[in-house]
Amino acid sequence: RCRWRDLRGVNLRDENGHTGNILHFDELLEHLQSAPGWCNIELKVDFDAEGHQERLAETVAQALDTADEVPGCAVSSFSKIALVRFAQACPHVPVAPLIDEAADAPWSFLAAVTHPGWAGEIGATQAILGDRWDAVHPHGRVVGQAQLQAWADLKLEVRPWVVNGPKHW
């Protein structure tokens, strides 16, 4: 674990010479209010820490509730507990499950469109995430034609991750 005061001093530089610093969450929210674009806020949880998932979700929900309007923002997580708790606590921000390629990952059933129980799982997910569930964020390797069609039928946007080159495009 790193303390904020240690992270604050880290100077970042990319391969093109761009520099910057790590923003505090409050600074990010302030920036998003005036900057065009889209931002995914991922709830990264410690699955082994008792109560961490709920506390993180509630803290982020409170910050987003007290911030002025933050356009183009969605919250995602691998954790069902965190995403459900966030959806309950912050009713105006869209949510998107992060789908890992591991078959036993918390949201992996969302990609298993040929599984006989898929429709029931989708109904249960809609019931707990509500109408703010507007997208899925799948690992690029789980995106296939069947999944794309099923997600399109549900009117979900698809925002894949780990699509790092022409081979994966």
Side-chain angles (χ1 to χ4, degrees):
R1 293 189 177 203
C2 293
R3 293 177 297 199
W4 172 242
R5 68 175 177 249
D6 298 329
L7 288 174
R8 185 67 170 160
V10 174
N11 294 315
L12 305 172
R13 178 182 305 265
D14 70 12
E15 64 273 2
N16 298 316
H18 301 110
T19 61
N21 297 92
I22 299 171
L23 294 177
H24 189 275
F25 190 60
D26 294 333
E27 293 171 314
L28 171 67
L29 293 179
E30 186 176 310
H31 176 74
L32 290 173
Q33 291 171 16
S34 61
W38 184 85
C39 180
N40 174 56
I41 298 169
E42 181 181 341
L43 302 177
K44 291 190 174 281
V45 303
D46 181 348
F47 284 97
D48 296 326
E50 176 100 21
H52 179 260
Q53 298 172 70
E54 295 91 341
R55 284 191 309 276
L56 176 63
E58 290 167 6
T59 299
V60 172
Q62 183 178 19
L64 288 171
D65 260 350
T66 58
D68 291 332
E69 183 68 24
V70 181
C73 173
V75 170
S76 66
S77 186
F78 289 108
S79 166
K80 279 187 181 181
I81 292 170
L83 202 58
V84 168
R85 183 64 201 113
F86 177 85
Q88 293 167 340
C90 195
H92 64 281
V93 176
V95 295
L98 274 162
I99 305 169
D100 198 356
E101 62 183 324
D104 62 346
W107 296 106
S108 63
F109 66 87
L110 293 173
V113 298
T114 58
H115 188 277
W118 189 74
E121 293 280 5
I122 292 299
T125 302
Q126 288 172 323
I128 61 175
L129 294 180
D131 61 358
R132 284 178 333 285
W133 177 31
D134 71 343
V136 289
H137 294 181
H139 188 290
R141 290 192 192 120
V142 304
V143 179
Q145 200 58 40
Q147 288 81 6
L148 287 173
Q149 185 59 58
W151 295 329
D153 291 346
L154 292 168
K155 298 181 178 31
L156 296 171
E157 289 187 29
V158 180
R159 301 178 192 126
W161 49 279
V162 186
V163 185
N164 293 336
K167 177 179 146 189
H168 294 284
W169 298 343

